[in-house]
Amino acid sequence: MEKNTNQSQLELKAREWLTERGVTLDDIAELVYYLQAKYHEDLSMEDCRHNVDCVLTKREVQNAILTGIQLDKLAEQKQLDFPLQNTIETDESLYGVDEIIALSIVNVYGSIGFTNYGYIDKQKPGILERLNDKSTGECHTFLDDIVGAIAAAASSRLAHGARDATMLDD
């Protein structure tokens, strides 16, 4: 699979910030594998990484990553005003804006992403378990949902690609 070599500054910054926050392409690819392995007999981690890489080329995704991470960082630094500071810092269950930003990512590859996202958001496997650990002192209110959404979108892209390949074979 060809690596994206024509990356914008926005994309480079989004990838950099994910890495700085402890999230790798492989972490997200593992979530894709978790979501899709039972539907694709020969699914490889390389296929999963490729689809994550493609999702990260989308401007909507890059904007969501940068916005969410910036808000998480500001909350860690206690730079937000009350009551928003407390709401984001504690990841209040009724807040919902973090999920709304994540849904902008899920939406990039169609409605199948919504079910993938809802499932992985409840299960919290892999990197999502670490991002949801409140005992670390880090704030990942937005990042956990964004990472889950990237995995859901990559899973959707993978599912659409497999379906298109099957239709070509008919």
Side-chain angles (χ1 to χ4, degrees), residues 16-30:
E16 177 186 323
W17 282 14
L18 283 171
T19 302
E20 285 175 3
R21 299 298 283 182
V23 178
T24 68
L25 198 69
D26 285 342
D27 291 330
I28 303 172
E30 287 172 12

Side-chain angles (χ1 to χ4, degrees), residues 1 29 32-33 40-54 154-155 157-158:
M1 313 257 166
V32 175
Y33 191 85
H40 303 277
E41 189 174 305
D42 297 323
L43 184 61
S44 70
M45 284 301 292
E46 179 60 30
D47 292 334
C48 296
R49 273 190 297 275
H50 172 72
N51 282 283
V52 170
D53 196 48
C54 289
S155 296
R157 186 180 188 284
L158 182 68

